[in-house]
Amino acid sequence: MSNLSFAVEPGEVYAIVGPNGAGKTSLFDCISGVSRATSGVIRFRDREIQGLRAHQICQLGLARTFQTTVAFDSQTVLTNVLVGSTFGRDGESPMLSFSTEAREAALDALALCGLGGLQSARAGQLPVLARKRLMLATALATRPGLLMLDEPVGGLNPGERLQMIDLIRAIARTGVTVLMIEHVMKAVQALADRTLVIHHGQEIAQGPPSTVLRDPRVIEVYLGSLRPAGPDEEPARA
């Protein structure tokens, strides 16, 4: 990252887009504590967090998902989400019995993500869309104020993408702020209040998707065309 600065407002959906290698996931890693930032300041709820570990940041109310679906495959859907709900609370250990509060958070997250009927299923047996929903539920069970989604509709077919878009809308309606990385422009245009485009770790445009995706610089370095992208178009991935 170089001279990159942005702020996400409470309650909005904010999308980060750009070519592969632009630094999007590295940015998420620094914000969430997976990697340490070597310079600059990262603030969450008026507190500097760049020196904290991932679990400490999560316990402050910031949760994330990953490009590749990750789960404890041998465990049930419910157990996976219970671990998430416990991880997000200071002083609790998933090696001990799960608290009533953790169970309530897990069940609420499963219901919101449409997994209430799959509590006893093994995570490793779920199809891709259900695994993505499980990863979302596990993050939501920490009861975050800010939810960071890394390519939430990646790898899904068009029908599944629409289902995921609807789910993210439902999450946003609960008051959770959403910060997402996405390559699928339909999802960005359908969900984002504002969009940041980065290239080689630097900002090249920021603003409403309808404006940003018609910026000549964005078209040149990301959309791969000299004409504005239409609402139904998606860029080729770099």
Side-chain angles (χ1 to χ4, degrees):
M1 303 298 113
S2 177
N3 298 317
L4 183 64
S5 179
F6 67 98
V8 181
E9 299 298 327
E12 77 172 332
V13 178
Y14 190 100
I16 299 175
V17 305
N20 283 353
K24 304 181 296 297
T25 295
S26 294
L27 176 62
F28 262 35
D29 287 346
C30 289
I31 295 172
S32 62
V34 173
S35 300
R36 290 290 184 96
T38 57
S39 63
V41 176
I42 303 170
R43 293 184 181 275
F44 178 64
R45 291 176 170 169
D46 296 322
R47 174 175 176 175
E48 290 189 17
I49 62 172
Q50 67 271 13
L52 300 180
R53 296 183 177 182
H55 72 280
Q56 295 172 317
I57 293 173
C58 181
Q59 289 164 1
L60 292 175
L62 189 157
R64 71 169 292 185
T65 65
F66 296 83
Q67 290 180 23
T68 304
T69 56
V70 291
F72 297 107
D73 285 347
S74 64
Q75 300 299 312
T76 66
V77 166
L78 177 58
T79 299
N80 271 269
V81 183
L82 281 168
V83 171
S85 65
T86 302
F87 180 80
R89 284 163 176 73
D90 188 19
E92 292 193 28
S93 169
M95 300 302 293
L96 305 177
S97 60
F98 297 108
S99 69
T100 299
E101 183 183 8
R103 288 185 177 276
E104 289 175 353
L107 293 174
D108 288 346
L110 286 169
L112 179 57
C113 292
L115 295 173
L118 293 174
Q119 295 179 31
S120 299
R122 297 290 173 185
Q125 298 174 342
L126 299 178
V128 174
L129 178 58
R131 285 180 66 86
K132 281 183 173 283
R133 288 177 179 269
L134 174 58
M135 191 163 54
L136 262 175
T138 303
L140 284 171
T142 70
R143 294 189 171 170
L146 174 63
L147 178 62
M148 298 169 57
L149 307 177
D150 197 344
E151 298 193 30
V153 306
L156 301 179
N157 65 42
E160 291 170 338
R161 288 175 182 175
L162 291 176
Q163 293 182 55
M164 184 59 70
I165 287 170
D166 286 344
L167 175 54
I168 295 170
R169 283 192 181 124
I171 291 168
R173 285 196 296 268
T174 69
V176 175
T177 303
V178 177
L179 174 62
M180 70 176 191
I181 295 169
E182 192 48 72
H183 281 284
V184 178
M185 291 301 101
K186 287 181 181 179
V188 172
Q189 292 173 305
L191 290 167
D193 299 301
R194 290 188 296 144
T195 302
L196 168 68
V197 186
I198 64 174
H199 185 48
H200 296 314
Q202 296 182 315
E203 175 187 331
I204 60 172
Q206 184 173 185
S210 59
T211 300
V212 166
L213 298 179
R214 285 167 171 77
D215 186 306
R217 296 169 298 173
V218 177
I219 295 169
E220 179 181 0
V221 305
Y222 182 49
L223 298 180
S225 171
L226 295 180
R227 59 184 173 78
D232 296 325
E233 293 182 85
E234 299 169 11
R237 297 190 58 164

